[in-house]
Amino acid sequence: MRTISALAAAVLFGVTTSATAGEGLGGWLSGDWYLTLGATGLVAPNFEGGKKYLVSATPIISLGKAGSAVRFSSRNDNISLALIDDGNVRAGLTGKFLWGRDNDADELRGLDPVRWGGEVGGFFEVYPLDWMRLRGELRHGIRSHSGFVADIAADAFYDVTPEVRISGGPRISIASSKYFDAYYGVSAAESVASTLSEYHPGGGIKSTGVGGAITWKVTDPITASLFGEYSRLAGPAADSSLVQERGSRDQFTIGVSTSYRFDFSM
């Protein structure tokens, strides 16, 4: 994990340096920007690894310099600030808000709650083909956990009409032991209180899956979408006693989202 931490710091430093070199921070800030705000309503498992489902909502936030239009975006993209954007390659900072996990659900009784918090890091995306985007995010936990999470996704997209687009592709998520310990670990004390088997996870692949969406450009600034995803828990997540004894490796998500893009200058 020290190697990953050093690599993440180097990537972010390099991105920031390349974005500001030769023009200064003030010069980089001046120009046209966009801010995309929205919300997603979804039906998903009541907790990671759970087998019961509930309705929830999450925000959509994306900020970047205008120039080349963003060719593709996905609901899986977390809050992003693009520092490099030339149309074919985008890179910058990313963050994710994490809701807390209490132990009110019967399956979680006796386990320590997970505090609300977030994850911060960097993202990189590239278009190897006109109809495909590859994106990766590397984030470090704050408050909720102190581990690393890496998400990688490939999406193919096709415009059925100028306003309607279909897209989809595979996803994979990888995490460190400290992440798994927060969400899937069961200490000796928790084992006694919950009757779950004691479990101390390492790091590894968290899940693999596939997702797809239908996106409708209602007007130039307004976008709406219908999406569905399936992921299969793997590695330390799948081996957790919480999943084995009270949950499910199969995780489904369906939902709708809408967003509005604001353009402004600085």
Side-chain angles (χ1 to χ4, degrees):
M1 287 304 103
R2 289 182 180 178
T3 301
I4 295 178
S5 180
L7 177 60
V11 170
L12 293 180
F13 178 77
V15 167
T16 305
T17 300
S18 63
T20 58
E23 57 181 353
L25 181 59
W28 178 76
L29 287 174
S30 64
D32 297 327
W33 288 73
Y34 65 86
L35 173 64
T36 301
L37 299 175
T40 298
L42 66 160
V43 179
N46 56 341
F47 62 89
E48 281 197 20
K51 60 182 178 180
K52 296 180 181 178
Y53 287 75
L54 55 75
V55 179
S56 61
T58 59
I60 298 173
I61 304 174
S62 181
L63 175 67
K65 294 193 72 173
S68 301
V70 177
R71 295 162 62 183
F72 177 80
S73 61
S74 165
R75 67 162 296 269
N76 300 98
D77 302 348
N78 288 300
I79 301 170
S80 303
L81 171 59
L83 302 176
I84 295 174
D85 187 348
D86 70 357
N88 288 318
V89 176
R90 296 179 74 235
L93 307 178
T94 187
K96 180 179 183 179
F97 179 81
L98 299 176
W99 301 103
R101 189 191 75 181
D102 56 35
N103 55 8
D104 291 342
D106 291 339
E107 303 94 321
L108 301 173
R109 296 291 171 88
L111 299 180
D112 293 337
V114 178
R115 300 181 298 175
W116 65 267
E119 295 169 348
V120 295
F123 79 92
F124 179 85
E125 61 183 45
V126 63
Y127 293 84
L129 299 168
D130 289 339
W131 47 267
M132 176 177 288
R133 187 197 71 166
L134 306 178
R135 176 174 170 119
E137 294 185 7
L138 177 62
R139 308 180 304 274
H140 186 273
I142 299 174
R143 198 170 189 268
S144 295
H145 67 88
S146 56
F148 283 91
V149 179
D151 292 327
I152 302 171
D155 285 279
F157 51 92
Y158 175 74
D159 293 329
V160 180
T161 72
E163 294 79 27
V164 178
R165 168 178 286 177
I166 57 175
S167 62
R171 288 90 168 88
I172 184 171
S173 184
I174 305 167
S176 68
S177 59
K178 291 184 178 179
Y179 173 88
F180 285 117
D181 185 60
Y183 288 93
Y184 295 93
V186 181
S187 67
E190 290 175 309
S191 177
V192 172
S194 67
T195 70
L196 288 169
S197 301
E198 188 173 347
Y199 180 63
H200 301 281
I205 295 176
K206 173 188 169 188
S207 64
T208 58
V210 64
I214 302 174
T215 304
W216 175 34
K217 190 174 184 180
V218 183
T219 64
D220 187 51
I222 301 175
T223 302
S225 68
L226 170 68
F227 61 86
E229 293 194 4
Y230 165 75
S231 63
R232 175 80 169 174
L233 296 181
D239 294 338
S240 170
S241 56
L242 176 61
V243 175
Q244 293 281 340
E245 299 172 22
R246 297 182 184 174
S248 172
R249 294 182 63 183
D250 299 308
Q251 306 280 285
F252 297 90
T253 301
I254 59 172
V256 295
S257 68
T258 183
S259 63
Y260 190 97
R261 172 174 168 147
F262 298 89
D263 295 310
F264 62 96
S265 299
M266 296 182 65

